[in-house]
Amino acid sequence: MDERANLMNMMKITIKVLIQSALNLDRSLDSDFPPLQQFFFVLEHCLKHGLKVKKSFIGQNKSFFGPLELVEKLCPESVDIFTNIRNLPEIKTSVGRGRAWLHLSLMQKKLADYLQVLIDHKDLLSDFYEHEALMMEEEGAVIVGLLMGLNMIDANLCLKGEDLDSQVGIIDFSFCLKDIQQNDSEKKADEITTVLDQKHYVEELNRHLSCTVGDLQSKIELLEKTNSKLNEELVAAKDRIVSLQDEHNQLLQESMHIQKKSERHLEVNMQDTKVELETYKQTRQGLDEMYNETWKQLNVEKQVRMELEKELDLQLGMKTEMEMAMKLLEKDIHEKQDTLVVLRKQLDDVKSINLQMCEKVKEAEMALQNKSEQLCLLQAKMDLVDSTTRAMEERLQDLEKSKQISEENCIKMKTNLEVKTENLKQQLQKLDSQRSHLEHSLQSEKEQQRTIQEELFKEKEKNISLQNDLLKYSELKKDFDKLLLEKTQLQKRCVEQEQALQEMGFHLSQSKLKMEDIKEVNKALKGHAWLKDDEATGCKQCNKEFSISRRKYAVSVGESECWSHDTTENQKKVDNLHLQPPHHCRNCGDIFCNTCSSNELSLPSYPKPVRVCDTCHNLLLQRCSSNCS
């Protein structure tokens, strides 16, 4: 404790002497200036106080340059100083590097700022200093406050050619001792200079405080902007979560609807296949009967025999095509069953994914609630900071008023001294009273300085708390970014599932078209029962009756009874014979007249275009146009 108090007193005296001598010189200081050398020696002793001894391979090492190296990491502005120190070839020890750092930081007028940064990070200084060291206690902050007054001094120090490694510092206070036999006028002048020095010191402190207040206001504005951005992002995130939930519900409804449709289509397909099998059996029996009847008529009519042989060949081809179609139908049924199994598996996967989505949404809502609570706490802290800044501004205004009053007093003192230099002996009593008044004002200013230092400590603590809040805010932002990434991944999964569903719908539409084609082929293969010539009495569409003479393209001898003796009537019958010959429709199998069956189309059971009735022609054209679309 005694050693710390002695070092503090020595530091105060050396700084005071250095400022007074620098103001008397009115020029920049050199490295040979004795008060400046004494200041560096005393500051070196203060930095060495309470240093921990570090053991190495060479031996024990105790250097004050170790804690100063932390400034390079904490303040990026000091990088140039360390690079200049490393480039000096004359300096080889850590003590020399520390002295060079003190010289250069004083030239930059940032010595107090750098030491303030070190004191703010006492957790890092604890690795180099003991707990009772001067830099770890309140005296370190007092030294930093004293060093703020050195910013008014201009120093021009040259490090080249100086042996900083082997310098031995001896503290000499002979120049600090005052001569007892000085005149009273010299004492008054010294007191005035001290008052001026203290005024400059207070101005420097005010400037530093105004800078810190401006920095705090800028930080508060940044925090308010970031808080507003966070609120907007939270609102947008809530809206997106609601939209995702709606899309999720729509997907569930669409998947259920598709499942029901697929089940209905399967049932319809199974019923169609059963009906087609029954029709195939019936058509086979009808073909056998027609084959027997045609076998009986072969010996009677050769022309009919040729036509029947052709029809038999066509029917045999139709049988083979029917068998092939049945095989294809069985394959399609198996494939559709496999696709149904795959669809059910996919639906199960979609359900599991939806459950996971619901859980993640709940977790996100909980996280958002926690973040909103933390934001409320941050807003409360910001209100406290605003109140403290307002109080600081009011105090600064009071300090400026007191500064103006002190300046006015100093001007009055100067005028009185210039006018009353001849009457000093008569006005000694008045000067003594003024001196006592100045002493009281100095004491009050010292008390104000102490209060300002206490307020500075409080502001530092508040700054540390704000930094911790900013770190928490960065962590919250990282969590929010993670949630956004998870949301984008879920959206990608939803898009992929939609594409898969669209592909399944496309495959189902193609299968529907194939089934319709197969139904048409089956209908064509059924033939709707080929109508016999004997059974048809007239055209099925226009209902015109057919006679025996109209069924054949020429009149036989045995049919002469149907002809009348009138030649005009016979000519009309011949005309009717040529105008309306009967024809079979190759699609439905009914008999039509020439006008009602004048169209031809290519059917799947015939290699070439064949004759088709008007109704079948229109139906087939409509189906072809729907398939093409």
Side-chain angles (χ1 to χ4, degrees):
M1 291 293 289
D2 295 334
E3 186 178 359
R4 276 191 292 171
N6 292 329
L7 286 171
M8 281 295 300
N9 293 324
M10 289 162 64
M11 197 71 199
K12 289 178 182 177
I13 292 166
T14 51
I15 290 170
K16 183 178 180 181
V17 171
L18 180 60
I19 292 169
Q20 288 176 357
S21 58
L23 291 173
N24 291 326
L25 282 173
D26 290 332
R27 63 180 178 84
S28 60
L29 303 179
D30 298 329
S31 59
D32 296 330
F33 191 58
L36 185 62
Q37 292 178 355
Q38 291 295 316
F39 166 72
F40 283 128
F41 292 147
V42 174
L43 184 59
E44 184 178 344
H45 281 288
C46 292
L47 292 172
K48 285 182 180 179
H49 183 263
L51 269 175
K52 291 181 181 179
V53 178
K54 292 188 176 181
K55 294 181 180 180
S56 62
F57 294 104
I58 301 167
Q60 293 181 351
N61 186 12
K62 188 177 181 181
S63 174
F64 66 94
F65 185 64
L68 296 178
E69 286 179 343
L70 297 172
V71 180
E72 186 178 6
K73 297 178 182 178
L74 299 173
C75 293
E77 301 173 358
S78 64
V79 176
D80 297 332
I81 295 173
F82 286 94
T83 53
N84 292 326
I85 291 167
R86 294 187 185 98
N87 292 327
L88 291 172
E90 297 89 359
I91 299 171
K92 297 179 181 179
T93 61
S94 59
V95 177
R97 293 189 188 94
R99 290 170 179 171
W101 185 87
L102 293 174
H103 284 72
L104 292 172
S105 58
L106 183 65
M107 286 172 67
Q108 283 187 355
K109 296 183 179 181
K110 290 185 178 180
L111 180 61
D113 296 333
Y114 293 152
L115 293 177
Q116 183 64 47
V117 171
L118 284 176
I119 290 169
D120 291 337
H121 295 80
K122 289 184 180 179
D123 54 347
L124 299 175
L125 285 177
S126 61
D127 296 334
F128 298 95
Y129 288 102
E130 294 178 355
H131 294 289
E132 296 179 355
L134 189 140
M135 293 296 290
M136 297 293 289
E137 297 293 334
E138 294 180 356
E139 286 83 352
V142 175
I143 289 171
V144 172
L146 293 171
L147 292 173
M148 291 293 293
L150 297 177
N151 292 333
M152 69 179 71
I153 296 171
D154 294 326
N156 188 7
L157 306 176
C158 183
L159 298 178
K160 291 183 179 180
E162 289 192 3
D163 189 8
L164 297 174
D165 293 331
S166 60
Q167 279 185 0
V168 178
I170 298 170
I171 300 171
D172 188 10
F173 290 101
S174 60
F175 59 88
C176 297
L177 297 174
K178 295 183 179 179
D179 194 0
I180 300 169
Q181 295 178 358
Q182 287 180 344
N183 294 324
D184 294 330
S185 62
E186 292 178 355
K187 290 181 181 179
K188 302 295 185 295
D190 292 332
E191 289 174 356
I192 290 165
T193 54
T194 54
V195 170
L196 290 170
D197 294 337
Q198 289 176 356
K199 184 188 78 171
H200 291 303
Y201 175 68
V202 170
E203 287 177 355
E204 283 292 323
L205 281 176
N206 289 327
R207 185 180 65 79
H208 187 67
L209 284 170
S210 64
C211 291
T212 54
V213 169
D215 293 333
L216 285 171
Q217 288 178 353
S218 63
K219 288 178 181 178
I220 288 163
E221 290 175 356
L222 288 171
L223 285 171
E224 288 176 353
K225 290 178 181 179
T226 51
N227 285 326
S228 64
K229 288 180 181 178
L230 271 176
N231 290 322
E232 292 175 357
E233 289 175 355
L234 284 171
V235 172
K238 288 179 180 178
D239 294 334
R240 289 174 184 173
I241 287 165
V242 172
S243 63
L244 283 172
Q245 287 178 354
D246 295 332
E247 290 176 358
H248 175 65
N249 293 324
Q250 288 178 0
L251 285 171
L252 283 173
Q253 292 176 359
E254 288 177 357
S255 62
M256 293 294 289
H257 187 63
I258 289 165
Q259 187 178 4
K260 290 178 181 178
K261 281 186 177 179
S262 61
E263 290 175 356
R264 289 174 186 173
H265 284 302
L266 279 172
E267 291 175 357
V268 171
N269 290 327
M270 292 296 290
Q271 291 176 0
D272 290 335
T273 50
K274 289 178 181 179
V275 172
E276 285 169 1
L277 287 170
E278 291 175 358
T279 54
Y280 174 71
K281 290 177 182 179
Q282 291 176 1
T283 52
R284 191 168 181 180
Q285 291 176 1
L287 287 170
D288 292 331
E289 292 174 357
M290 287 178 71
Y291 180 76
N292 293 323
E293 289 175 358
T294 52
W295 184 259
K296 292 177 182 179
Q297 291 177 1
L298 274 173
N299 296 321
V300 179
E301 295 176 354
K302 290 181 180 180
Q303 293 178 356
V304 176
R305 180 182 174 183
M306 293 297 291
E307 290 177 357
L308 288 171
E309 283 177 355
K310 289 179 182 179
E311 288 176 357
L312 283 170
D313 293 329
L314 290 172
Q315 287 173 1
L316 288 170
M318 289 169 68
K319 281 184 181 181
T320 55
E321 287 176 358
M322 280 288 289
E323 290 174 355
M324 291 294 291
M326 289 300 294
K327 289 179 181 178
L328 291 171
L329 276 170
E330 290 176 355
K331 288 182 180 178
D332 290 332
I333 288 164
H334 289 300
E335 288 176 357
K336 286 175 182 177
Q337 288 177 354
D338 295 332
T339 53
L340 278 171
V341 173
V342 173
L343 278 169
R344 285 173 183 171
K345 288 181 181 178
Q346 289 179 356
L347 285 170
D348 293 330
D349 295 332
V350 168
K351 288 178 182 178
S352 61
I353 289 165
N354 289 328
L355 291 172
Q356 291 177 2
M357 285 279 288
C358 292
E359 291 177 356
K360 288 182 179 179
V361 166
K362 289 179 181 178
E363 292 176 355
E365 289 176 352
M366 292 295 290
L368 286 171
Q369 290 178 359
N370 293 325
K371 287 177 182 177
S372 63
E373 292 176 357
Q374 291 177 359
L375 284 170
C376 294
L377 294 172
L378 284 169
Q379 288 177 357
K381 290 181 181 179
M382 290 296 293
D383 295 331
L384 291 171
V385 170
D386 290 331
S387 62
T388 52
T389 51
R390 289 172 185 171
M392 286 294 295
E393 287 176 356
E394 292 176 357
R395 289 174 184 172
L396 284 169
Q397 290 176 0
D398 295 331
L399 286 170
E400 286 176 357
K401 289 179 181 178
S402 63
K403 183 178 75 174
Q404 290 177 0
I405 293 166
S406 62
E407 286 177 356
E408 291 174 358
N409 291 326
C410 289
I411 292 165
K412 288 179 182 178
M413 288 290 293
K414 284 181 181 178
T415 55
N416 291 321
L417 286 169
E418 288 175 355
V419 173
K420 296 179 181 180
T421 51
E422 295 177 355
N423 298 320
L424 286 170
K425 292 180 181 179
Q426 295 177 2
Q427 296 178 355
L428 283 172
Q429 293 178 356
K430 293 180 180 179
L431 290 170
D432 291 332
S433 62
Q434 289 177 358
R435 185 183 66 186
S436 63
H437 181 68
L438 287 170
E439 286 176 355
H440 288 297
S441 64
L442 284 171
Q443 288 178 359
S444 64
E445 285 179 356
K446 286 180 182 179
E447 290 177 355
Q448 288 178 359
Q449 288 177 4
R450 288 175 185 173
T451 55
I452 288 166
Q453 287 177 356
E454 290 175 357
E455 289 172 356
L456 283 171
F457 285 128
K458 290 179 181 178
E459 286 181 356
K460 288 173 186 176
E461 291 176 355
K462 290 177 182 178
N463 284 324
I464 292 166
S465 65
L466 285 170
Q467 289 176 357
N468 293 324
D469 293 333
L470 286 171
L471 291 171
K472 291 179 181 178
Y473 170 70
S474 62
E475 291 176 356
L476 289 170
K477 194 171 183 181
K478 288 179 182 178
D479 295 332
F480 185 71
D481 292 332
K482 289 180 181 178
L483 287 171
L484 285 175
L485 288 171
E486 290 178 356
K487 180 186 170 186
T488 52
Q489 291 175 359
L490 291 171
Q491 286 179 352
K492 287 179 181 178
R493 287 182 183 174
C494 287
V495 170
E496 290 174 356
Q497 288 175 4
E498 286 177 357
Q499 291 177 357
L501 288 171
Q502 287 177 359
E503 290 177 357
M504 291 298 296
F506 179 72
H507 288 302
L508 285 170
S509 64
Q510 286 182 350
S511 64
K512 284 179 184 178
L513 292 173
K514 288 180 181 179
M515 288 297 294
E516 286 177 359
D517 292 333
I518 291 163
K519 286 178 183 179
E520 289 175 1
V521 171
N522 288 329
K523 287 178 182 178
L525 291 171
K526 289 176 191 176
H528 298 284
W530 189 269
L531 192 64
K532 296 179 182 180
D533 293 335
D534 298 330
E535 293 175 358
T537 58
C539 180
K540 192 173 182 181
Q541 188 171 353
C542 64
N543 296 321
K544 288 183 180 180
E545 293 182 356
F546 295 120
S547 62
I548 297 170
S549 59
R550 285 185 181 177
R551 290 190 176 275
K552 298 180 182 179
Y553 294 98
V555 180
S556 63
V557 178
E559 293 174 346
S560 59
E561 294 177 358
C562 297
W563 294 86
S564 64
H565 295 286
D566 193 1
T567 57
T568 57
E569 291 179 0
N570 293 329
Q571 187 65 32
K572 287 180 181 178
K573 288 179 180 180
V574 171
D575 292 333
N576 289 325
L577 181 74
H578 292 290
L579 287 171
Q580 293 181 352
H583 295 284
H584 279 87
C585 177
R586 297 298 187 272
N587 187 34
C588 62
D590 291 328
I591 295 173
F592 298 89
C593 64
N594 189 20
T595 56
C596 296
S597 62
S598 61
N599 296 310
E600 289 185 355
L601 278 176
S602 59
L603 296 175
S605 59
Y606 293 94
K608 293 180 179 180
V610 292
R611 188 180 290 272
V612 180
C613 65
D614 292 338
T615 55
C616 293
H617 182 263
N618 293 325
L619 288 171
L620 291 170
L621 286 176
Q622 288 177 1
R623 287 178 183 174
C624 288
S625 62
S626 63
N627 289 328
C628 291
S629 63

